[in-house]
């Protein structure tokens, strides 16, 4: 038996996800010259001949990241792939292969796993990705999915989190907050259903929100668009944890500050109306909601004209010197410091 002789215990929830990762990875020594980037970005970056290889992995755990009472398994499979592709696109790369590992309890019949794989295959076909391996194990409780994606990017095209410069523009794709609200809507319907199993779910007014939660699309199209527009972002990250958290990552790694303008944050009409109904602040939801799988990037001012007319891209702020800090400028023209979120599901 292994006995823990160490009396001191530090609670993981006091530390938070990011500090935990820092703590566990701070002493890593890189042994190979081909490891260009290790821990700390959306993907690891490995040297190749002409191209760089990108690697990213994500783990989804039942009860932590998803609830099968409203997440159909086919959607879960699709989303598990998207979450990984999104990190590859955040490096301005193209995903080529994935591996899929699962651990399942005997609660799941074969038909359930067929559903899961139908979603995985659909994602692979839609995004032109090859499923090349994985691992299968049993679990004592629930289902767990771990996907690793391998991508490629030309050396001159790779974009890291750390290249933002003062005066760059901060740009976001699509709109924000919908996936989080979709989850709130689904949670509410689940509670109604638990009280009255005959109740019909009322989702007509929330179709966009629910779709964003259950069937997100990674922004492969944006990588293509940026190439076409001849814009290379100075830094980029995907929005998995929420806009505020991703802005902090870019600013900290680039050693810059930022002004984010509240009135520029793109919101869908359903997000606005549902926030009113649920008595939530739409800005807070956009900042902290997460799971949008949009891309957040910075571009040099000279490139503004190239992106200006594109409905997929919204300039939401600009980069400043580090000593100016990281702020939200509200509609009332107040400056509020953007701070890290608390502990969330990793
Ligand atoms: P993302 O949200 O883009 O998936 P994360 O915040 O999960 O990124 O991870 C940030 C960085 O930390 C990444 O480089 C990731 O590979 C690394 N990382 C996360 N967890 C671990 C771990 N347990 N051990 C080593 N590296 C990790
Ligand atoms: Mg990421």
């Amino acid at each position: 038996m292994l006995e823990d002789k160490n009396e001191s215990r530090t609670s993981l929830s006091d530390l938070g996800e990011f500090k935990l990762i820092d703590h566990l990875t701070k002493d890593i020594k890189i042994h190979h010259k081909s490891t260009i980037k290790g821990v700390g970005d959306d993907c690891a970056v490995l040297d190749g001949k002409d191209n760089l290889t990108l690697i990213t992995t994500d783990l989804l755990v039942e009860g932590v990241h998803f609830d099968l009472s409203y997440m159909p398994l086919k959607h879960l499979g699709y989303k598990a792939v998207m979450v990984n592709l999104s990190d590859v696109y955040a490096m301005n790369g193209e995903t080529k292969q994935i591996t899929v590992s699962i651990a399942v309890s005997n609660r799941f019949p074969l038909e359930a796993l067929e559903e899961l794989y139908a979603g995985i295959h659909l994602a692979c076909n839609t995004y032109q990705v090859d499923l090349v391996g994985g691992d299968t194990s049993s679990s004592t409780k629930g289902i767990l999915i771990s996907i690793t994606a391998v991508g490629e990017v030309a050396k001159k095209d790779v974009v890291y989190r750390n290249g933002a410069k003062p005066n760059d523009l901060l740009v976001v794709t699509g709109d924000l907050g919908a996936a989080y609200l979709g989850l709130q809507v689904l949670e509410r319907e689940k509670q109604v259903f638990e009280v009255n199993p005959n109740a019909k779910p009322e989702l007509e007014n929330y179709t966009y929100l629910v779709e964003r939660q259950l069937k997100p699309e990674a922004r492969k199209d944006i990588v293509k668009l940026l190439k076409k527009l001849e814009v290379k972002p100075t830094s980029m990250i995907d929005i998995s944890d929420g806009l505020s958290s991703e802005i902090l990552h870019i600013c900290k790694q680039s050693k810059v500050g930022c002004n984010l303008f509240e009135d520029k944050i793109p919101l869908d009409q359903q997000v606005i109306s549902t926030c009113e109904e649920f008595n939530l602040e739409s800005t807070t939801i956009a900042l902290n909601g997460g799971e949008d799988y949009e891309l957040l990037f910075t571009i040099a001012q000279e490139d503004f004209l190239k992106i200006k007319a594109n409905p997929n891209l919204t300039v939401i702020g600009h980069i400043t010197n580090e000593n100016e800090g990281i702020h939200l400028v509200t509609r009332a023209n107040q400056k509020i410091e953007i701070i890290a979120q608390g502990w969330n599901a990793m």
Side-chain angles (χ1 to χ4, degrees):
M1 279 283 280
L2 282 170
E3 228 176 280
D4 187 2
K5 300 241 165 58
N6 189 350
E7 288 297 311
S8 75
R9 286 171 180 275
T10 307
S11 155
L12 293 183
S13 51
D14 291 343
L15 212 58
E17 177 190 353
F18 301 130
K19 285 205 182 114
L20 172 62
I21 296 174
D22 283 350
H23 187 79
L24 297 178
T25 60
K26 65 181 184 322
D27 296 326
I28 290 178
K29 282 197 185 65
I30 297 297
H31 301 284
H32 296 280
K33 263 214 285 218
S34 57
T35 306
I36 292 185
K37 181 99 188 176
V39 170
D41 216 303
D42 291 300
C43 289
V45 178
L46 314 184
D47 202 3
K49 226 162 132 211
D50 305 313
N51 292 334
L52 300 171
T53 299
L54 305 169
I55 300 187
T56 178
T57 189
D58 267 285
L59 174 65
L60 300 180
V61 179
E62 182 178 358
V64 179
H65 299 98
F66 58 89
D67 182 333
L68 288 177
S69 51
Y70 48 71
M71 181 67 141
L73 278 160
K74 184 172 177 185
H75 286 78
L76 176 62
Y78 194 88
K79 183 167 175 175
V81 178
M82 287 309 123
V83 168
N84 281 276
L85 302 197
S86 182
D87 279 321
V88 174
Y89 303 140
M91 307 300 294
N92 208 24
E94 196 184 328
T95 320
K96 297 281 168 109
Q97 291 91 8
I98 58 166
T99 62
V100 177
S101 300
I102 52 172
V104 255
S105 75
N106 55 15
R107 181 181 117 221
F108 294 89
L110 170 66
E111 288 71 18
L113 296 185
E114 285 175 349
E115 277 292 301
L116 178 75
Y117 270 72
I120 293 173
H121 292 314
L122 177 64
C124 286
N125 291 333
T126 310
Y127 283 77
Q128 297 282 295
V129 172
D130 299 331
L131 172 48
V132 296
D135 196 16
T136 305
S137 163
S138 57
S139 93
T140 49
K141 199 165 159 264
I143 182 166
L144 185 153
I145 307 170
S146 167
I147 297 189
T148 297
V150 179
E152 219 172 80
V153 62
K155 285 184 179 172
K156 63 174 178 34
D157 291 334
V158 66
V159 178
Y160 295 102
R161 293 177 177 179
N162 66 8
K165 297 273 172 314
N167 299 320
D168 280 357
L169 300 174
L170 184 68
V171 184
V172 72
T173 64
D175 54 70
L176 301 177
Y180 175 83
L181 285 179
L183 183 63
Q184 304 311 305
V185 168
L186 291 166
E187 289 273 1
R188 185 175 71 170
E189 290 307 315
K190 180 184 171 186
Q191 279 163 20
V192 170
F193 183 79
E194 276 168 359
V195 176
N196 174 12
N198 294 320
K200 285 232 171 70
E202 280 179 41
L203 298 172
E204 306 90 76
N205 295 333
Y206 314 107
T207 46
Y208 179 65
L209 310 182
V210 170
E211 182 168 332
R212 292 280 284 173
Q213 170 58 222
L214 295 185
K215 194 167 180 285
E217 302 289 351
R219 300 306 306 254
K220 181 181 184 178
D221 59 323
I222 298 295
V223 175
K224 228 166 119 183
L225 174 71
L226 290 171
K227 243 177 219 118
K228 197 180 102 193
L229 297 174
E230 296 179 359
V231 173
K232 183 185 172 192
T234 51
S235 69
M236 183 147 65
I237 188 168
D238 71 318
I239 304 185
S240 50
D241 296 328
L243 179 62
S244 63
S245 160
E246 316 306 358
I247 287 179
L248 289 170
H249 282 310
I250 284 194
C251 287
K252 297 225 155 111
Q253 296 212 17
S254 300
K255 300 193 169 55
V256 292
C258 172
N259 286 324
L260 164 70
F261 293 93
E262 182 180 22
D263 63 341
K264 304 284 191 229
I265 298 173
L267 303 172
D268 185 81
Q269 193 49 50
Q270 263 183 28
V271 167
I272 296 168
S273 58
T274 308
C275 278
E276 276 169 17
E277 186 192 334
F278 283 46
N279 216 356
L280 294 167
E281 272 272 23
S282 57
T283 303
T284 312
I285 302 305
L287 281 174
N288 299 330
E291 292 200 286
D292 297 303
Y293 299 107
E294 296 294 339
L295 294 173
L296 175 73
F297 57 90
T298 53
I299 59 167
Q301 290 233 2
E302 305 82 277
D303 285 335
F304 175 61
L305 287 178
K306 298 186 197 162
I307 66 141
K308 194 179 128 190
N310 198 291
N312 285 298
L313 307 176
T314 311
V315 176
I316 55 174
H318 60 254
I319 300 300
T320 61
N321 285 318
E322 189 174 22
N323 60 15
E324 290 177 51
I326 304 165
H327 292 100
L328 173 75
V329 181
T330 68
R331 289 192 183 87
N333 215 14
Q334 264 185 317
K335 270 183 135 182
I336 301 174
E337 194 186 350
I338 297 175
I339 48 163
Q341 282 183 75
W343 180 269
N344 233 323
M346 291 195 274

